[in-house]
């Protein structure tokens, strides 16, 4: 089983309106996936919801249930929508995870406690978008929910503070909480540009462009976190434009010269464990 854990479907029908310039310039639908999945030997994808609008979460989940290329989905959750999560899990079998931000958890203790209590009874994964430095207290948040699966999503950018994901801290956290993973769906942000033209035509250019991503992945692998990593293409993206083939190329470049096991785990065994999927 080989799975891409981060593919976005923005809308089901009409193109993006002119007043939403940041939304994808070309809508992307699940039926476009068939060929690229087959070409790269991928079993399917995990679909990510990026906004609680157009369509609404229930509408989006209904749509994803109909898509054979989608093996599982991750829905956004907020303090307002948290009460609906148990209903969603019952109605939509593909719902395997919900996503929230680290800042929301860190700044709203009541929401954090309610979210953890809700998920503890549902056996679904919590994705946490790392949008600030990890507070030391986060290692204690799940003390009463030791079986809770957690996937951290570092926000990786060329000019950003990628130190938000302190690898030594993550290592210490995984020693305390065995159900913690890191999703590498930000690698294209370290390698591609904001221009529409691809810079991946020349393999030598690709190696140069991917240097920051290679460094980051090497740090994770050298920290013996191989079994804690999952990969997502993060495609299509809002700003940095790249093809699915280029997303795969970035991963291959980062793992060049590495044993086959890390790549196999990134796309397979780790994903199954992190999202509670059936083999």
């Amino acid at each position: 089983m080989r799975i891409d854990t981060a593919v976005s479907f923005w809308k089901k029908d009409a193109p993006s309106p002119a007043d939403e310039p940041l939304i994808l310039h070309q809508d992307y639908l699940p039926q476009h996936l068939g060929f690229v999945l087959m070409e790269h030997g991928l079993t399917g994808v995990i679909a990510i919801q990026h906004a609680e609008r157009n369509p609404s979460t229930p509408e989006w989940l209904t749509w994803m249930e109909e898509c054979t290329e989608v093996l599982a989905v991750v829905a956004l959750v907020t303090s307002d929508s948290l009460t609906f999560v148990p209903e969603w899990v019952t109605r939509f079998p593909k719902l395997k995870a919900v996503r929230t931000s680290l800042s929301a958890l860190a700044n709203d203790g009541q929401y954090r406690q309610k979210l953890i209590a809700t998920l503890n009874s549902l056996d679904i994964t919590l994705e946490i978008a790392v949008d600030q430095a990890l507070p030391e207290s986060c290692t204690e948040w799940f003390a009463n929910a030791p079986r809770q699966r957690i996937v951290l999503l570092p926000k990786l950018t060329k000019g950003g503070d990628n130190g938000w994901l302190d690898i030594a801290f993550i290592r210490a956290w995984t020693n305390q909480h065995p159900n913690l993973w890191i999703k590498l769906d930000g690698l294209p942000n370290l390698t591609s540009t904001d221009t529409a033209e691809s810079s991946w035509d020349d393999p030598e250019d690709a190696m140069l462009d991917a240097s920051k991503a290679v460094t980051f992945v090497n740090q994770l692998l050298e920290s013996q976190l191989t079994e804690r990593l999952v990969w997502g293409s993060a495609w299509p993206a809002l700003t940095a434009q790249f093809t699915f083939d280029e997303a795969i190329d970035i991963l291959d470049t980062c793992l060049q010269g590495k044993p086959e096991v890390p790549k196999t785990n990134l796309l397979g065994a780790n994903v199954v464990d992190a999202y509670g999927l059936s083999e």
Side-chain angles (χ1 to χ4, degrees):
M1 182 176 287
R2 289 162 52 86
I3 302 170
D4 178 352
T5 67
V7 171
S8 305
F9 303 108
W10 298 90
K11 297 182 179 180
K12 190 173 182 178
D13 41 36
S16 303
D19 60 351
E20 294 186 34
L22 289 182
I23 298 299
L24 217 59
H25 69 285
Q26 177 182 353
D27 287 307
Y28 179 74
L29 301 176
Q31 57 263 37
H32 299 156
L33 271 176
F35 177 76
V36 292
L37 294 181
M38 180 176 63
E39 182 181 14
H40 295 288
L42 293 173
T43 309
V45 303
I46 295 179
I48 308 299
Q49 181 190 23
H50 276 279
E52 292 183 303
R53 60 171 175 76
N54 195 20
S56 67
T57 298
E59 291 173 326
W60 182 80
L61 290 170
T62 300
W63 176 27
M64 293 299 99
E65 289 289 330
E66 300 169 355
C67 301
T68 57
E69 298 85 357
V70 174
L71 302 181
V73 299
V74 181
L76 283 178
V77 64
T78 63
S79 57
D80 293 331
S81 62
L82 178 58
T83 56
F84 300 110
V85 173
E87 176 190 348
W88 295 344
V89 172
T90 300
R91 289 178 56 192
F92 306 107
K94 288 185 180 180
L95 180 58
K96 299 298 183 182
V98 294
R99 175 185 290 197
T100 192
S101 68
L102 177 62
S103 58
L105 295 177
N107 298 327
D108 190 339
Q110 186 176 17
Y111 166 58
R112 181 177 69 243
Q113 292 172 9
K114 288 183 178 179
L115 176 63
I116 294 172
T118 298
L119 299 188
N120 194 39
S121 63
L122 296 176
D123 189 33
I124 64 172
T125 299
L126 173 62
E127 285 197 356
I128 302 176
V130 181
D131 58 350
Q132 65 170 58
L134 290 164
E136 292 185 9
S137 61
C138 68
T139 60
E140 304 299 326
W141 291 350
F142 301 91
N144 295 325
R147 297 178 60 188
Q148 177 63 54
R149 296 186 299 272
I150 306 166
V151 176
L152 297 178
L153 292 82
K155 184 178 182 181
L156 304 178
T157 60
K158 280 185 176 180
D161 182 8
N162 300 320
W164 281 354
L165 193 66
D166 186 302
I167 295 177
F169 185 80
I170 293 296
R171 183 74 178 152
W173 193 359
T174 57
N175 288 336
Q176 297 180 49
H177 194 89
N179 296 318
L180 180 70
W181 289 267
I182 300 169
K183 180 186 283 193
L184 298 176
D185 73 347
L187 296 181
N189 295 331
L190 297 178
T191 57
S192 56
T193 66
D194 291 337
T195 62
E197 294 183 359
S198 170
S199 60
W200 287 84
D201 295 332
D202 187 330
E204 293 184 1
D205 289 341
M207 287 294 292
L208 292 174
D209 287 347
S211 58
K212 287 190 176 182
V214 169
T215 298
F216 180 71
V217 172
N218 282 342
Q219 290 175 342
L220 291 172
L221 294 178
E222 290 169 2
S223 298
Q224 299 181 329
L225 289 170
T226 303
E227 296 181 358
R228 303 291 183 176
L229 305 177
V230 298
W231 173 81
S233 64
W235 185 71
L238 280 176
T239 51
Q241 297 187 23
F242 55 95
T243 68
F244 192 89
D245 286 348
E246 288 167 353
I248 292 285
D249 288 344
I250 292 168
L251 177 63
D252 288 339
T253 300
C254 290
L255 297 178
Q256 189 171 20
K258 303 291 190 299
E260 186 63 23
V261 172
K263 185 173 182 179
T264 300
N265 288 346
L266 277 170
L267 298 171
N270 295 357
V271 177
V272 171
D273 292 341
Y275 292 90
L277 305 180
S278 301
E279 293 278 1

